[in-house]
Amino acid sequence: MEILDIKNLSFSYAGCEEKALDGVSFTVNEGEFVALCGETGSGKSTLLKLLKRELRPNGKLEGAVLLGGEDISSFTPARSAREVGFVMQHPEQQIVCDKVWHELAFGLENLRVPEQEIRRRVAETACYFGLDGIFKQNVSSLSGGQKQLLNLASVCVMQPRVLILDEPTSQLDPIAASQFIATVRRMNRELSMTVIICEHRLEEVLPLADKALVLKNGKAAFYGPAREAAARFAADEKCDMPAASRVFARTGGDGECPVDALEGKKYVTQNFSNRVRSLGREENKRSSGPALEFSHVFFRYEKNAPDALFDLELKAYPGEHTCILGGNGSGKTTALCAAVGLRRIYDGKIKILGKNIDTYRNGALYRNCVAMLPQDVQTAFLRMTVREELKDSGCAPESLPFDVSHLLERHPYDLSGGEMQLVALAKALATKPKILLLDEPTKGLDSGFKQILKRIIKELCDSGAAVVTVTHDVEFAAESADMCVLLFGGSAAACSGPREFFGGNAYYATTCARMTRGYFENAVTADDVCALCEANGKKEAGV
Amino acid sequence: MIVLKNAKARTAIRFIVPLALFPAVAAASAIAGGRAYVAGASVCALLAVLVFLAGFEQKKIGSRRLIITTVFVALSVAGRFLPLFKPVTALTMIAGIYLGRESGFAAGAFSALISDFYFGFGPWTPFQMLTWGLIGYIAGALGEKLKNSTPRQIVFGVISGLMFSALMDVWATLDFTGGFTAQTYLAALVNSLPFTALYAVSNAVFILLMSRPFGEKLTRIKIKYGI
Amino acid sequence: MRTLERSNPFASLVCIVCVTLTAALCQYPGMLIPALLGGAAFYSLLAGRSGKRTHILCALLVVVSALVNPIFSHNGITVLFVLNDRPVTLEAVCVGLMNGMTLAAVIYYFGALTRIMTSDKLLYVFGKVSPKSALLISGALRFVPLLGAKSRRIEETQTALGLYRKGNMISGAKNKLKVFSALTSWALENGIITADSMAARGYSDGRRTYFAPYPFRACDAVWIAVYSVSAAVLITFSAIGTYGFTYYPQMVRTGGAYSAAFYALYAAICFLPAAVQLKEAARWKYLISKT
């Protein structure tokens, strides 16, 4: 049964001639799971916001959105809240109240549901979403993943018929992201809730989706079965299709397009032989001592707290990109903060460019030496325009290895996630650091910006700087690191080049490594797999 | 829910309570002395706060204005940890100017309440709520007159800083000595003079430095999101 | 009887306000001593070891008040000694002592109230009176720690970018002000998204229900009735002079033979919260010893 009917929807933002959306039409049946794909700026977010009346941005709208045959702009606020649920990107910003139970009740209070009924619905919702253990806690004590789950729950407590999610997992770590997606999937299957989701990382979402809508420059380029979308757009790097589909497209596969690791493995093993099992290992090009060295470092936040860094040994060499990976609470960010002197270690030694960190005084550590960009890059901005920001830190825009000139007059908060990252990076580079520390630089970025970031890091390394990145993004690490370190419980559990690192890990690995495990060796990126497939050649049909 | 249906009655009460009833109680206690007036004044303050909040409850301000008011309250409380500056008065004033008198009152009153949530409640809580609330309310009533003139804002900030000290000294005198006499009140005023002076100066400096950027920020938000 | 901590927030509020109001209005030694002791006991039971600073503050307050009052007030006939040609009287010292004790008692009771009134309960009280205010309080309580964390992060980032140096007081304050300004931008911008999320979940200016996990039970009614009636009786009879105490010019007990009954009634309502609290603790011990 048809639930949503989007009719010829066009939209242009206030004060902007260009159409952000141009004549998009599609229909969604009840209980369908629709993935929305497309590069940044293709109008994904705009489209989703237009589906929720309260979130429609200022601008000129044509066409209509019909829900169950009625235009959503004719709904009362209560009806609109009850029919369409919307979860946004940042977990933190959507929460209104200070307690978990109050946040869950918030929507029902607005709908003027009687207290007794609220009690029942809040209780059953908390149980379904596994929030019962944290029901009475302060919201500020929750992790990002829990917060986003709470946002989902406090929308679903109103039992909406359509659930819209705008990049809900882009700010979460991979484990929390999988859990979140699994919950959405469960709601779709068990409660036949209609889901429309937009994600950068389609790796997990696309295999679950019934249909996919691909947007290009504000127009619907494709709407149909998800697998077909993967097959058609896998060759387009900017669409971020799953790795299996990308390998399929690049090796000229035909037939059914694989969308997850299992199908990808079938495709590779059935179509290609494995006479050549591995590519060469990375060679070591080191010529000097480490730029950053942790030896037997111990740190804890409070006297009686457990050690956040426990006998940590870590070396980062000039000219190399070192990636630190690991779960939440493994001490990754703490290690970075210790390296810039924001945390005082209680035992061990940190050497910066061969000298003990304590010998740097009066801010000498931050001049031509170390600079760090935190996860939350917004904290780097204090001014009203990008130009003032750069002037403050003494950065000439022309001298940068990337172009920010088109952003100079904008307010830093108006920039997209990727642009913000670039401007913050410009501020960090103004100190001419020999060691650059980045905390989760790829969080919330699409593949276009990831490519730019990879290029910048490469150039910095080539000029002799040491770049250390803390990341959850295994694909990014596999593609750009020279060295990968796995942190666990505050100490380094493994340390090697990316091929060996991800090839050797069974669980903490890239999709490509999982896809080819036991068949190829050390093939960790789509490039690797394609190169090996090419080297081996296609099997004859029927062999 | 407290709602006074008659708008005229609401307005009347809202002006009579702080402008007539409150000074009357203070004067009575000055003449008669005694502790009864401590309680009387506290109860008056509480009632006045409730009447003002009824106005806030009635006012249609929408979710965005409500949240911005909330942000101002949170900033005031968080700002109490700043060294040298105590931005509550300035922030309350700005909230009043840009968000209207009801929101100004709410911003001031709840800043006091939430601060006391962290620093401890006391019989002074209604007093503080009323005093700060009134600062916001009056700033809101003056509105446009203050909006575009930093000197006027500074004058307002200094006066409200002095007013706050003077009113809180009334409370201190009432509670400490049990009776209210001109002599003890004067002593309390003299004693707190250095703090009052510092408070007034820091208010002035804070407004001088922050009022324009704050205005710019609010204007930007208004344009960007079309409020 | 259920402890005030576990009662309906309205009951806790009414009881504590009644006790302190009575203490503030009726200044008799026979009443202030139970008020102070009852308050101190109740506070200690709730606060445990963390209440040490309050105890010190209260003790200081009583002493300072007893020493300061004779400097301002020279009423009274029992002259202890003469200082700077002004008499220091026993009565003035005693009045100072009483004032200090009243204030200390008030601090104890409100200290206990602060411990009891968690944010949930504060919201409950305001939610019943004005739902919009309750929402504002809840939001503010959520934003305050958020802002604190954010301002620390901004400082750290600025330090790591070499733009934020700890220097003297003035430059320190300047830096803090810069951070505060950035914090404001962020909070406002963020707030708009929060507001949108509110609107998306059906918030509008009209009426809304208020949900809170605090039912009103018979026990709460008992608390409220006992305390408001007792306070009314005590204050009324004190006001019409049935029982009383004067300090100046000489300390004399006034009023008739029933005074003792009033003192006893007041002592009872002062010690009741602590006693119920203690009983509950004892019951726990008993239950644990049985298993």
Side-chain angles (χ1 to χ4, degrees), chain B residues 35 57 59 62 175 217 224, chain C residues 24 99 103 130 132 181 189:
Chain B
R35 219 161 244 280
E57 183 69 37
K59 185 88 181 169
D175 199 78
K217 279 168 198 180
K224 183 171 169 186
Chain C
N99 283 335
L103 201 55
S130 152
K132 206 187 266 176
S181 169
E189 202 101 3

Side-chain angles (χ1 to χ4, degrees), chain C:
Chain C
M1 208 148 178
R2 201 172 273 126
T3 57
L4 278 186
E5 207 180 357
R6 294 195 297 122
S7 297
N8 186 289
F10 270 116
S12 325
L13 194 64
V14 167
C15 291
I16 286 174
V17 167
C18 283
V19 172
T20 47
L21 208 61
T22 318
L25 290 176
C26 317
Q27 267 220 311
Y28 314 119
M31 291 177 72
L32 279 176
I33 292 162
L36 185 60
L37 292 181
F42 188 39
Y43 180 76
S44 316
L45 283 171
L46 285 170
R49 276 156 194 265
S50 63
K52 220 180 352 185
R53 279 176 59 190
T54 310
H55 292 303
I56 296 172
L57 173 75
C58 287
L60 269 177
L61 209 66
V62 174
V63 174
V64 168
S65 173
L67 293 179
V68 166
N69 194 54
I71 299 174
F72 288 107
S73 170
H74 306 286
N75 294 329
I77 54 165
T78 322
V79 178
L80 294 174
F81 54 90
V82 177
L83 192 75
N84 286 347
D85 295 334
R86 299 280 195 117
V88 171
T89 64
L90 177 66
E91 285 80 7
V93 172
C94 286
V95 166
L97 207 59
M98 288 300 115
N99 283 335
M101 283 167 68
T102 315
L103 201 55
V106 169
I107 286 176
Y108 275 129
Y109 279 111
F110 275 91
L113 185 68
T114 309
R115 303 261 165 177
I116 290 176
M117 275 288 164
T118 55
S119 60
D120 295 11
K121 293 185 183 172
L122 186 69
L123 275 180
Y124 171 82
V125 170
F126 271 90
K128 290 286 167 193
V129 178
S130 152
K132 206 187 266 176
S133 305
L135 203 57
L136 195 155
I137 295 173
S138 180
L141 286 171
R142 168 167 156 57
F143 283 140
V144 170
L146 206 62
L147 290 177
K150 186 80 181 184
S151 80
R152 272 193 301 280
R153 283 210 300 277
I154 294 177
E155 278 173 29
E156 288 188 354
T157 306
Q158 298 297 323
T159 311
L161 291 174
L163 299 170
Y164 188 92
R165 247 163 263 153
K166 291 186 186 94
N168 56 13
M169 201 142 128
I170 299 290
S171 72
K174 249 188 186 164
N175 274 332
K176 289 262 183 199
L177 220 52
K178 253 196 212 167
V179 170
F180 190 71
S181 169
L183 196 62
T184 315
S185 305
W186 176 79
L188 288 173
E189 202 101 3
N190 230 27
I192 297 291
I193 298 173
T194 311
D196 285 349
S197 143
M198 282 167 72
R201 281 184 279 157
Y203 178 82
S204 61
D205 271 312
R207 295 175 60 126
R208 56 200 304 270
T209 47
Y210 183 76
F211 167 68
Y214 299 103
F216 193 86
R217 297 193 174 89
C219 185
D220 302 312
V222 173
W223 274 113
I224 291 178
V226 167
Y227 276 76
S228 48
V229 169
S230 307
V233 166
L234 286 166
I235 292 171
T236 316
F237 283 101
S238 156
I240 61 171
T242 313
Y243 69 110
F245 198 91
T246 56
Y247 293 88
Y248 297 135
Q250 199 178 359
M251 291 190 283
V252 186
R253 215 178 77 178
T254 57
Y258 304 113
S259 303
F262 289 112
Y263 296 152
L265 173 61
Y266 188 63
I269 65 168
C270 284
F271 283 111
L272 193 59
V276 176
Q277 195 84 21
L278 210 60
K279 193 196 90 188
E280 189 144 302
R283 192 196 287 158
W284 265 109
K285 274 221 168 110
Y286 172 73
L287 285 176
I288 289 167
S289 72
K290 290 275 267 187
T291 51

Side-chain angles (χ1 to χ4, degrees), chain B residues 89 92-93 96 104-105 130-140 156 160-161 163-164:
Chain B
T89 314
T92 304
M93 179 191 83
F105 184 87
L130 183 65
T131 321
W132 268 332
L134 279 178
I135 292 174
Y137 192 86
I138 296 169
F156 183 85
S160 47
M163 181 174 121
F164 178 74

